[in-house]
Amino acid sequence: DGHLFADPLTENSLMGLLCFKNGSLARERVRDEFCSESSWESFNECLEQTPPGNNGNFAFYYYEPEITPRVSPGVYRFRSD
């Protein structure tokens, strides 16, 4: 869902806020599932061992129903081939 607020710095202006449910909590869960230690240092080491572009593989992790955009829970993986 999105929200509009009055801009506190500019008269007659608005600022928008988009809310995401699967942000930091999903990132922490991916870290904990794929790294031997539940630390950001370990996560960074895992990423540094992965080639740039991850060989054309990527995924979206939605552990809870997302609100922006509306997406059902699941892990959606994609490959470039």
Side-chain angles (χ1 to χ4, degrees):
D1 290 329
H3 305 281
L4 285 177
F5 298 97
D7 187 329
L9 302 176
T10 307
E11 188 176 343
N12 298 321
S13 292
L14 300 172
M15 59 183 190
L17 172 70
L18 294 177
C19 299
F20 298 94
K21 203 173 195 181
N22 288 281
S24 183
L25 295 177
R27 193 170 59 110
E28 290 172 5
R29 186 165 165 183
V30 168
R31 175 200 65 192
D32 295 347
E33 284 183 22
F34 292 101
C35 294
S36 58
E37 299 174 25
S38 295
S39 70
W40 290 115
E41 292 81 14
S42 175
F43 184 76
N44 289 338
E45 289 173 11
C46 290
L47 288 179
E48 288 171 358
Q49 295 173 13
T50 304
N54 195 27
N55 298 313
N57 301 306
F58 68 97
F60 297 108
Y61 295 84
Y62 297 107
Y63 294 112
E64 299 291 330
E66 187 55 79
I67 52 179
T68 304
R70 295 199 186 280
V71 178
S72 297
V75 176
Y76 302 89
R77 291 190 170 98
F78 303 90
R79 295 181 54 124
S80 62
D81 55 2

